[in-house]
Amino acid sequence: MQISEKYNPQETEQKWYNYWLENKYFHSEPNEKPPYTVVIPPPNVTGILHMGHMLNNTIQDVLVRRARMQGFNACWVPGTDHASIATEAKVVAKLKSEGINKSDITREEFLKHAWEWTDKYGGTILEQLKKLGCSCDWNRTRFTMEESLSQQVIKSFVDLYNKGLIYRGYRMVNWDPEAKTNISDEEVIFKEQNGKLYFLKYKIEGTEEFLSVATTRPETIFGDTAVCINPNDERYAHLKGKNVIVPIVNKVVPIIEDEYVDIEFGTGALKITPAHDVNDYEIGQKHNLQMIDSLDDDGNLNDYGQHYAGKNRFEVRKQIAKELQEKDLLLKAEDYVNKVGTSERTGAVIEPKVSVQWFLKMSEIAKPALDVVMDDEVKFYPEKFKNTYRHWMDNIRDWNISRQLWWGQQIPAFYYGDGENDFVVAENIEDALALAKEKTGNPYLETSNLKQDEDALDTWFSSWLWPMSVFDGLNDPENKDINYYYPTSDLVTGPDIIFFWVARMITAGLEYRKEVPFKNVYFTGIVRDSQRRKMSKSLGNSPDPLELMDKYGADGVRVGILLSSAAGNDLLFDEDLMLQGRNFMSKIWSAFRLINMWSHEDKPANSAENQAIEWFENKLNKTIIDIDDQFAKFRISDALHLIYKLIWDDFCGYYLEAIKPNYGEGISKEVYHKTVALFEELMKLVHPFLPFQSEEIWQLISERKTDEALVIAQQKKAEAFNEDIIKNFETATEVISGVRNYRQTKGISPKEAAEIFTNASGFANEAVIKKLANVSEIHFGTKTDKLSFTFLVGSTEVSIPLSENLDLGEEKIKTEEELKYLKGFLVSVDKKLSNEKFVANAKPEIVEVERRKQKDAQDKIAILEEKLKSL
């Protein structure tokens, strides 16, 4: 068989992916096998692949492919999220570029544009995941806005409302002026910003005296309805019961008292603006203050803002500070670092705003979701995230689930009047009409009398049902898919959405199925650049994953990104890792070509071959056990390192060298077939990491039927191994390394055979040592009088008589230098061990390490001193 000199990913990747799809290897239906289920964290429907997706989906694919090869019925459900805020913003921008304002068209017309946008740009990321090699069941692809999933979202809302867990309330919310919607507390990111602390003069009514009040937001004075002091603040005792005049606004407001005010902060007097501050809102409710909203939805001042009406809040801040100064109403302004809430989606500064919203009571429904994580019914990897989870769940607030958007599931509340409670909640308008007739006692009501709530539900309110809704679990709770695939097995996600998504999915799963939605959660790290900065478009530090795959092959990128991805720790991206991945592929390809080049002969295996086969079979079994252990701990990078070392060092570095036939000779057929069988086992092990190349090699090794493809081949189960055989071979490799080191440091040709003298009674792998180290003779239990290069393998002394071609004068200098270094090293170790405090307090294993160092140094010094005498 003619095999190309170099492996070419461009020629193989699409070929094998098409083959896998054509033969439906990724498709799963319930059967008698145990299920292994993973649901993809749905990316934004209009998103494109970035490095975070690469890491997350590579890990998922490794887990799914491995499960498929271990006898599980693996089902990886792909899909996308409708991402209401992000998608609506893009559609609004597109319409604007065409001269259309959202406010000028109907909801139906807008949704038509949104669906067109989604159909045109949506799904790109799923096609990109195919290029990465993701083995998703594409027949099961879901979208959070598709009819079946939307029905389940609406069903959930109605159910929770009927249970008294969803309510409509007039509350302070986080308003995003850019997205023009409120967002939940979890979507607010606090950032430090440099600003000013302004000290304003509030004149005491009927006097020339003024009260100094500090604020970072002077533009909100148009919403002031009181000034608050602490009743225990003696400085202001004389002002109790009086009024002040709001500067510029010239409105009289009362001075009120509340212990909430911190006497030590600022001036100890607080302006109260109930419509624009969370704490002021609480004080306003308590003291029955008027609510004046002086900002519109765009973050501009409205008519309450008087001569600033229509101007942006930040522009007004600068202008009003100037006006206050000109009118002698500004005492001073100081530089001030303030933590400002910003929108996670748009980056806009959040504006606290009071409005009517829908909320889900969380304290009662979330408690079981805390217990299952604390009791390890759902296990977190790394475990450190349990504390983060507990802190949030212990301090959980009601979830604001309504959004002032059109792209999303419309809230199923139907209004029949203008009263606060003149509405019903139902899955459709027909059911709503029946409920409204019953509630009002009016049999003449028609659907035309009902008006559905304009708001859409938070996107997370659809994705919290994802592990159930993808299997139609709320529409048909007893269907075969949900009963077979749920609960899912593993969830792979980022710690940044532990609250948005993970906690809520656990909550929903327990609420609707009385079962957790998954057994394990693996939190990936964040991909950062070499300067530890998070990768982002704005910084320009994020490479294009598609370009990387074109350059290094999908397999090379998969291996590269996983080699440095320890569980839960941030990944410092380095393109050299992709190169390492490609080099690994080249090593495997070269090994395959080498095996394939050998001619076969009818002859028995020799001693070196038998020893190498026996060792590698045991080494393979030991490594499989170690790999299984690493996967059980979700240490996927460590599992890859084990496979990498097994192939690169053990198989290529020692095994192939030990069985390689002499020049001009063929290999024993028996050894060849055994070697191919071992190589096939390695391809099975590496397949989850290198799916394309391993399948290409597998199919080249032998002609395979469709049911013999590597993608569905079963990995070798761990078997018992002989530790002594492995240790003996390790001894042999150390002897080989020592002989090679002798030749390298002394400039001796590898072709010049060496003889060995040793105090050992024998080496279990004598034939391998002779072949790989080019040793002509081994003298066991014998010491040589000849001038020698001596090294230790454990307590075994190995001596090689020096070549006649060696410069003895130079050898003496080198020996003296090495002796000087070792004596200095021994002094430092002796000093440590003579320190009684160290010996008494250090761990026994640490003291033992130091004693071993001491013994090793003493043995080496004795050998070198003997050598010096000979020299």
Side-chain angles (χ1 to χ4, degrees):
M1 180 196 328
Q2 194 62 38
I3 299 167
S4 60
E5 191 177 332
K6 288 186 176 177
Y7 172 69
N8 188 340
Q10 278 70 33
E11 290 176 4
T12 56
E13 290 179 355
Q14 197 58 52
K15 174 180 75 175
W16 290 118
Y17 203 84
N18 290 341
Y19 178 77
W20 294 330
L21 290 178
E22 284 161 15
N23 289 288
K24 298 183 170 55
Y25 295 127
F26 304 159
H27 182 57
S28 172
E29 290 290 340
N31 62 22
E32 71 288 348
K33 289 182 180 179
Y36 176 83
T37 319
V38 171
V39 291
I40 201 169
N44 288 0
V45 66
T46 57
I48 55 169
L49 200 66
H50 58 60
M51 294 306 292
H53 293 131
M54 288 275 287
L55 172 62
N56 185 293
N57 287 284
T58 297
I59 290 169
Q60 288 178 82
D61 194 46
V62 167
L63 293 171
V64 171
R65 284 180 182 272
R66 182 171 181 269
R68 195 178 285 124
M69 298 177 83
Q70 293 207 322
F72 290 90
N73 181 359
C75 179
W76 183 10
V77 182
T80 49
D81 186 275
H82 63 277
S84 52
I85 294 177
T87 306
E88 181 148 328
K90 285 177 180 174
V91 177
V92 168
K94 176 187 173 283
L95 291 175
K96 211 167 191 176
S97 70
E98 297 168 1
I100 304 169
N101 286 322
K102 179 187 170 186
S103 55
D104 296 335
I105 58 175
T106 65
R107 187 189 199 108
E108 287 66 33
E109 288 169 329
F110 178 83
L111 289 175
K112 189 174 174 233
H113 285 290
W115 277 109
E116 283 173 5
W117 172 273
T118 301
D119 292 340
K120 185 175 179 180
Y121 297 104
T124 300
I125 193 165
L126 298 184
E127 291 305 310
Q128 292 171 332
L129 289 176
K130 291 176 183 178
K131 187 170 172 61
L132 183 62
C134 293
S135 59
C136 302
D137 184 346
W138 299 107
N139 294 339
R140 291 184 177 275
T141 304
R142 296 287 178 264
F143 176 45
T144 51
M145 272 286 278
E146 68 179 77
E147 188 177 352
S148 164
L149 272 73
S150 288
Q151 282 174 357
Q152 293 175 80
V153 172
I154 298 305
K155 192 180 282 286
S156 165
F157 183 98
V158 173
D159 173 68
L160 293 168
Y161 176 80
N162 290 335
K163 288 173 178 173
L165 292 169
I166 285 178
Y167 64 93
R168 186 169 175 258
Y170 192 61
R171 298 281 187 280
M172 175 72 68
V173 296
N174 307 296
W175 185 259
D176 180 341
E178 200 169 307
K180 293 183 180 57
T181 180
N182 82 90
I183 60 174
S184 68
D185 292 338
E186 292 74 37
E187 291 165 295
V188 178
I189 308 297
F190 285 91
K191 296 179 181 174
E192 283 194 350
Q193 289 187 2
N194 294 320
K196 296 276 185 186
L197 187 61
Y198 300 91
F199 291 79
L200 278 53
K201 294 180 178 180
Y202 283 67
K203 200 173 180 185
I204 312 298
E205 187 186 28
T207 73
E208 292 303 309
E209 189 185 351
F210 66 83
L211 188 58
S212 175
V213 177
T215 181
T216 55
R217 306 178 64 210
E219 71 279 7
T220 61
I221 57 174
F222 301 101
D224 286 2
T225 52
V227 167
C228 189
I229 57 172
N230 190 306
N232 304 313
D233 194 338
E234 293 178 5
R235 292 173 296 172
Y236 302 128
H238 65 292
L239 298 178
K240 290 180 182 182
K242 297 193 176 180
N243 299 323
V244 290
I245 300 166
V246 181
I248 295 179
V249 187
N250 291 321
K251 187 174 96 177
V252 177
V253 298
I255 294 174
I256 62 171
E257 301 165 52
D258 199 293
E259 290 190 346
Y260 166 78
V261 178
D262 184 353
I263 295 173
E264 304 299 323
F265 179 76
T267 63
L270 203 64
K271 65 191 274 309
I272 304 300
T273 318
H276 296 293
D277 181 272
V278 178
N279 298 314
D280 290 10
Y281 172 77
E282 298 296 336
I283 291 172
Q285 293 286 292
K286 187 176 173 183
H287 294 270
N288 201 23
L289 296 174
Q290 184 186 2
M291 194 90 60
I292 299 172
D293 188 349
S294 59
L295 289 164
D296 66 17
D297 290 350
D298 295 308
N300 298 327
L301 275 287
N302 58 24
D303 289 342
Y304 282 110
Q306 299 178 5
H307 48 293
Y308 291 109
K311 291 184 177 178
N312 180 270
R313 54 189 169 152
F314 299 119
E315 189 187 330
V316 173
R317 186 175 298 174
K318 292 175 187 171
Q319 292 179 10
I320 205 166
K322 198 175 176 186
E323 185 182 350
L324 286 163
Q325 199 162 18
E326 287 168 357
K327 293 183 174 177
D328 195 26
L329 293 169
L330 181 66
L331 192 65
K332 61 179 177 177
E334 296 176 348
D335 289 335
Y336 189 71
V337 177
N338 199 15
K339 277 200 170 179
V340 177
T342 61
S343 168
E344 187 228 8
R345 284 282 176 208
T346 66
V349 173
I350 291 303
E351 194 58 56
K353 193 175 177 69
V354 175
S355 67
V356 175
Q357 302 291 341
W358 293 87
F359 296 87
L360 172 60
K361 295 175 185 175
M362 290 300 289
S363 56
E364 182 185 329
I365 197 174
K367 190 183 181 307
L370 172 60
D371 295 339
V372 293
V373 171
M374 290 301 109
D375 297 340
D376 285 335
E377 194 176 331
V378 175
K379 289 184 178 173
F380 281 4
Y381 298 88
E383 200 176 2
K384 65 182 181 183
F385 289 109
K386 280 174 71 173
N387 289 333
T388 311
Y389 182 86
R390 182 177 57 198
H391 177 74
W392 187 76
M393 294 295 269
D394 281 342
N395 297 281
I396 201 163
R397 295 182 183 180
D398 288 356
W399 177 9
N400 176 355
I401 56 174
S402 50
R403 297 291 179 270
Q404 287 61 61
L405 300 165
W406 283 349
W407 178 241
Q409 286 88 9
Q410 192 172 356
I411 288 176
F414 299 85
Y415 300 88
Y416 53 79
D418 297 326
E420 197 174 313
N421 294 307
D422 290 352
F423 67 86
V424 291
V425 170
E427 289 183 38
N428 53 60
I429 198 162
E430 290 76 21
D431 290 352
L433 181 62
L435 287 171
K437 283 178 178 178
E438 186 184 329
K439 190 173 177 181
T440 60
N442 179 0
Y444 305 108
L445 277 179
E446 297 178 7
T447 54
S448 58
N449 301 127
L450 301 181
K451 186 175 183 296
Q452 190 170 353
D453 197 299
E454 284 286 311
D455 288 354
L457 284 158
D458 179 10
T459 306
W460 295 108
F461 195 80
S462 58
S463 50
W464 81 318
L465 302 174
W466 187 247
M468 296 178 286
S469 61
V470 296
F471 299 116
D472 212 30
L474 274 78
N475 284 334
D476 184 4
E478 292 305 318
N479 79 74
K480 64 174 185 175
D481 279 0
I482 191 75
N483 284 332
Y484 179 74
Y485 292 114
Y486 187 95
T488 68
S489 306
D490 301 326
L491 176 74
V492 181
T493 188
D496 50 335
I497 55 173
I498 189 170
F499 314 127
F500 293 129
W501 197 43
V502 178
R504 289 167 178 168
M505 279 191 290
I506 296 172
T507 302
L510 292 169
E511 178 67 21
Y512 287 108
R513 304 239 11 128
K514 309 304 176 199
E515 278 184 289
V516 296
F518 28 73
K519 302 173 189 78
N520 303 297
V521 184
Y522 175 93
F523 292 106
T524 64
I526 294 168
V527 184
R528 299 185 182 275
D529 66 13
S530 55
Q531 298 175 45
R532 296 192 172 273
R533 298 177 303 176
K534 190 174 179 180
M535 288 193 164
S536 67
K537 284 182 191 171
S538 57
L539 285 173
N541 63 347
S542 183
D544 182 346
L546 296 177
E547 287 178 10
L548 288 173
M549 285 192 275
D550 287 339
K551 189 172 177 181
Y552 300 102
D555 286 341
V557 174
R558 287 165 68 110
V559 167
I561 204 164
L562 286 181
L563 280 173
S564 64
S565 178
N569 294 327
D570 289 351
L571 181 151
L572 298 183
F573 176 79
D574 185 344
E575 201 166 317
D576 283 349
L577 292 166
M578 311 294 124
L579 184 61
Q580 191 177 347
R582 189 173 68 186
N583 290 346
F584 184 44
M585 293 159 65
S586 298
K587 189 76 172 176
I588 292 171
W589 191 254
S590 297
F592 173 54
R593 286 185 73 245
L594 179 66
I595 297 166
N596 198 64
M597 281 162 50
W598 294 332
S599 60
H600 320 147
E601 296 178 3
D602 280 320
K603 61 180 182 181
N606 61 39
S607 297
E609 290 166 341
N610 282 327
Q611 288 169 15
I613 290 168
E614 183 185 48
W615 160 70
F616 195 77
E617 285 176 337
N618 279 276
K619 182 69 176 179
L620 178 61
N621 280 319
K622 182 182 190 304
T623 306
I624 288 171
I625 290 169
D626 292 341
I627 290 166
D628 289 347
D629 181 55
Q630 295 303 334
F631 268 103
K633 297 170 183 170
F634 282 84
R635 301 186 70 88
I636 295 162
S637 177
D638 293 337
L640 173 57
H641 277 278
L642 287 168
I643 296 169
Y644 186 100
K645 186 180 180 303
L646 182 69
I647 293 174
W648 192 296
D649 295 347
D650 299 328
F651 187 76
C652 298
Y654 285 104
Y655 178 80
L656 290 183
E657 291 299 313
I659 65 159
K660 187 163 67 176
N662 294 329
Y663 183 74
E665 294 180 16
I667 191 170
S668 154
K669 278 186 181 177
E670 177 197 342
V671 174
Y672 172 77
H673 290 305
K674 178 54 94 174
T675 300
V676 169
L678 289 170
F679 192 60
E680 285 182 330
E681 293 304 333
L682 293 178
M683 290 306 94
K684 290 178 188 176
L685 279 182
V686 83
H687 176 78
F689 299 93
L690 293 174
F692 295 110
Q693 188 193 39
S694 56
E695 186 74 74
E696 170 77 358
I697 291 173
W698 179 263
Q699 300 283 351
L700 285 172
I701 289 172
S702 174
E703 198 173 320
R704 315 275 184 180
K705 296 173 187 170
T706 53
D707 62 353
E708 295 173 329
L710 180 60
V711 67
I712 53 166
Q714 295 304 289
Q715 288 184 347
K716 176 178 163 61
K717 294 278 187 277
E719 295 172 15
F721 62 90
N722 188 322
E723 188 71 57
D724 289 337
I725 290 171
I726 294 170
K727 282 181 178 173
N728 286 338
F729 200 90
E730 283 171 4
T731 299
T733 63
E734 287 185 56
V735 173
I736 293 162
S737 296
V739 178
R740 287 173 176 174
N741 181 45
Y742 154 70
R743 288 199 177 93
Q744 191 180 351
T745 56
K746 308 306 176 193
I748 308 296
S749 168
K751 292 179 181 176
E752 185 179 317
E755 59 177 333
I756 286 176
F757 292 80
T758 176
N759 60 355
S761 57
F763 288 136
N765 302 103
E766 181 181 348
V768 171
I769 293 169
K770 283 183 172 179
K771 183 172 183 180
L772 268 61
N774 188 13
V775 171
S776 57
E777 193 66 45
I778 303 177
H779 304 278
F780 292 108
T782 309
K783 202 172 178 73
T784 178
D785 294 330
K786 295 177 186 175
L787 196 56
S788 303
F789 175 89
T790 304
F791 59 91
L792 290 171
V793 176
S795 58
T796 301
E797 197 174 292
V798 180
S799 299
I800 308 166
L802 296 179
S803 169
E804 292 172 2
N805 302 322
L806 210 59
D807 181 336
L808 296 183
E810 190 181 333
E811 185 63 21
K812 184 180 179 186
I813 292 167
K814 283 184 180 175
T815 305
E816 285 171 340
E817 285 174 353
E818 196 177 346
L819 194 56
K820 185 180 177 185
Y821 165 76
L822 277 170
K823 284 182 174 177
F825 175 76
L826 184 59
V827 167
S828 67
V829 177
D830 286 343
K831 192 174 179 184
K832 196 178 274 189
L833 288 171
S834 63
N835 183 336
E836 291 178 10
K837 200 171 181 182
F838 167 76
V839 175
N841 296 326
K843 289 181 179 176
E845 56 267 32
I846 292 173
V847 176
E848 185 54 37
V849 166
E850 292 302 318
R851 290 206 169 109
R852 280 203 300 270
K853 283 182 189 175
Q854 185 186 50
K855 174 80 168 61
D856 192 37
Q858 288 166 344
D859 290 346
K860 285 177 180 174
I861 286 168
I863 289 168
L864 289 173
E865 284 175 339
E866 193 69 33
K867 182 179 173 183
L868 263 183
K869 283 180 193 172
S870 303
L871 283 167

